[in-house]
Amino acid sequence: QKWDEMFHRLSRYKQQYGDCLVPHTYVHDRLLGLWVHTQRSMYKLKNMTSDKEERLNSIGFEWNANENVDDSSSTSVSE
């Protein structure tokens, strides 16, 4: 299932970076950044199953992360 695949990609991101604060425009995996943004939107709209919410909570998912993500550190290109 697509959701499970993306959840595993997020889990790998957390193992590498120590958090689930994937920028919406994450250069290394744009689909993951978009998926994380979508999960937060679904949660805010109360349109997420409790199973998915519990799974995301189990890895320390940050539900209100917009103000905590520094897009520039993940998306800038060295000049």
Side-chain angles (χ1 to χ4, degrees):
Q1 183 182 10
K2 184 72 170 175
W3 195 94
D4 291 324
E5 175 190 334
M6 295 307 296
F7 178 80
H8 289 298
R9 284 161 72 171
L10 178 60
S11 296
R12 285 194 301 270
Y13 178 96
K14 179 165 184 187
Q15 288 175 348
Q16 184 173 359
Y17 296 104
D19 60 48
C20 296
L21 299 173
V22 184
H24 186 206
T25 56
Y26 182 52
V27 172
H28 302 292
D29 190 342
R30 292 177 194 266
L31 189 57
L32 180 60
L34 179 61
W35 183 83
V36 166
H37 176 78
T38 300
Q39 299 314 298
R40 289 190 182 109
S41 296
M42 297 289 283
Y43 177 79
K44 288 175 187 174
L45 294 170
K46 309 256 189 253
N47 196 15
M48 175 175 282
T49 66
S50 59
D51 177 59
K52 289 178 180 177
E53 183 180 344
E54 288 172 16
R55 289 181 67 192
L56 289 167
N57 282 333
S58 75
I59 61 168
F61 192 78
E62 180 77 36
W63 295 105
N64 297 306
N66 291 338
E67 65 277 1
N68 298 327
V69 176
D70 180 6
D71 284 336
S72 63
S73 66
S74 298
T75 60
S76 63
V77 177
S78 298
E79 296 183 289

